[in-house]
Amino acid sequence: VTVNKAPTPNLMLNKTEGCQPLCLLYNSQTQDDAALITYDFGNGSLMQADNFLYCLNEPGEYNLKIQTRGNNGCTGIYTHPAPLIVWPTPHTSLNWSPDPPTTTQNHVTFEPSSQYPVVKYEWQFPSAGGNNIDGSDLKNPVRVYDNVGKYPVMLISTTEKGCIDTVFKVIEVRDEFTIFIPNTFTPNNDGLNDVFNIK
């Protein structure tokens, strides 16, 4: 009596934890003996392939199972000994007040918000021409913009696991319009102040 068995995978992942997306090379090293390899990542995602690069894009814990079917017709299911853990990036968004800033309301406070806790902020404030760059490590830095223009802002936020997000926006500083209402006018057709206008 000959008893055959399914090919046993020898999956050697270079890591089992990392920031999203977690991209790894999956190779069961059973190509000579296997007719079919199926990877089940436990999130409804199945891959019938081998020796391929695959990315887990969503944060969470994945319990990987590998099903092998050998050339001899035998099948087996093997569970990877360690779960695959994908840490989230901060998913940071960036706002500021006042919005929009003007040449008179020009003290701008930057207000980041993140879906996941952030332990480190790195701000970069290039000048309008891009010649100079100022930085800050505060959560809510304040900048003063004296001139009308468009100014780039970049924020790199980092979680405790070292996962980073980079947000880049352009802040537009507008001119403050003033209204002049005259208290007299001279409708004598001399071309000066003949019409009452609000400017």
Side-chain angles (χ1 to χ4, degrees):
V1 176
T2 301
V3 179
N4 295 321
K5 70 173 186 175
T8 302
N10 183 24
L11 183 64
M12 306 289 288
L13 298 176
N14 61 351
K15 59 182 176 180
T16 58
E17 299 180 356
C19 300
Q20 68 178 131
L22 179 61
C23 299
L24 300 171
L25 179 65
Y26 295 87
N27 186 346
S28 70
Q29 302 183 55
T30 61
Q31 286 86 359
D32 293 338
D33 300 322
L36 183 64
I37 304 290
T38 304
Y39 291 82
D40 183 355
F41 293 92
N43 62 344
S45 183
L46 298 174
M47 290 291 295
Q48 285 190 337
D50 204 13
N51 196 17
F52 64 100
L53 184 69
Y54 184 71
C55 297
L56 296 169
N57 295 311
E58 297 300 321
E61 185 173 304
Y62 299 82
N63 296 303
L64 176 62
K65 292 184 179 180
I66 305 169
Q67 179 177 343
T68 64
R69 187 171 74 197
N71 295 322
N72 56 14
C74 299
T75 61
I77 298 177
Y78 304 89
T79 301
H80 192 264
L84 305 179
I85 299 174
V86 183
W87 302 319
T89 58
H91 295 279
T92 302
S93 60
L94 180 56
N95 297 298
W96 53 81
S97 64
D99 187 15
T102 64
T103 49
T104 56
Q105 293 184 327
N106 59 358
H107 286 68
V108 179
T109 302
F110 291 92
E111 303 163 348
S113 60
S114 303
Q115 292 183 17
Y116 298 95
V118 173
V119 296
K120 183 180 179 183
Y121 296 91
E122 295 177 72
W123 294 89
Q124 292 185 6
F125 301 99
S127 61
N131 298 327
N132 299 319
I133 297 178
D134 293 329
S136 175
D137 59 2
L138 300 175
K139 180 180 180 181
N140 300 107
V142 177
R143 300 280 296 171
V144 178
Y145 294 95
D146 294 321
N147 299 314
V148 172
K150 294 182 178 181
Y151 298 87
V153 177
M154 187 172 73
L155 170 62
I156 301 171
S157 52
T158 308
T159 66
E160 63 180 358
K161 294 292 188 181
C163 301
I164 64 171
D165 246 353
T166 301
V167 181
F168 181 85
K169 285 197 172 184
V170 175
I171 181 171
E172 182 177 1
V173 180
R174 300 178 183 176
D175 198 2
E176 182 69 43
F177 294 102
T178 57
I179 297 175
F180 174 69
I181 303 176
N183 57 7
T184 58
F185 74 108
T186 56
N188 56 6
N189 293 322
D190 65 352
L192 298 173
N193 300 319
D194 289 328
V195 179
F196 181 81
N197 280 331
I198 297 176
K199 298 182 180 180

